[in-house]
Amino acid sequence: MAKWTPKHEAPEPLEGPVVATITGGTLVWFVLFLVQLPFYGWFDDHGHLWWLWTCLAGGGLGLIGVWYVRKRDAALKRGATVKAPSAE
């Protein structure tokens, strides 16, 4: 078990434009779905129909991710405003 014991503390998590990143990724999944939709027959004939549904699932899960990170971002901002007055 000593092999897996960390030798230093973990760095702080990176904060960035999380909402924009998740929204962009979700849009990419939906665009990929829409681009592949006209080729439905080809995908079906060649056994690659799962490519189409993977893109749709990625877009759907991305919508859940957008909802989640927006709520998280709002909670972090609320927490920052609550802590700010008491720090003085």
Side-chain angles (χ1 to χ4, degrees):
M1 191 65 183
K3 179 180 177 181
W4 304 109
T5 305
K7 305 257 187 279
H8 53 81
E9 288 189 35
E12 290 293 319
L14 296 174
E15 290 295 331
V18 179
V19 176
T21 302
I22 301 300
T23 302
T26 301
L27 287 175
V28 168
W29 280 114
F30 278 125
V31 167
L32 287 172
F33 172 74
L34 292 175
V35 166
Q36 292 178 13
L37 198 55
F39 304 102
Y40 184 90
W42 185 89
F43 285 118
D44 193 23
D45 292 343
H46 291 87
H48 297 301
L49 203 54
W50 65 272
W51 290 5
L52 189 72
W53 302 124
T54 299
C55 293
L56 186 60
L61 291 171
L63 289 176
I64 295 169
V66 169
W67 173 79
Y68 179 82
V69 296
R70 289 185 72 206
K71 293 287 185 183
R72 177 186 177 271
D73 195 40
L76 288 173
K77 287 179 182 175
R78 275 194 314 272
T81 58
V82 169
K83 289 181 183 179
S86 64
E88 293 177 4

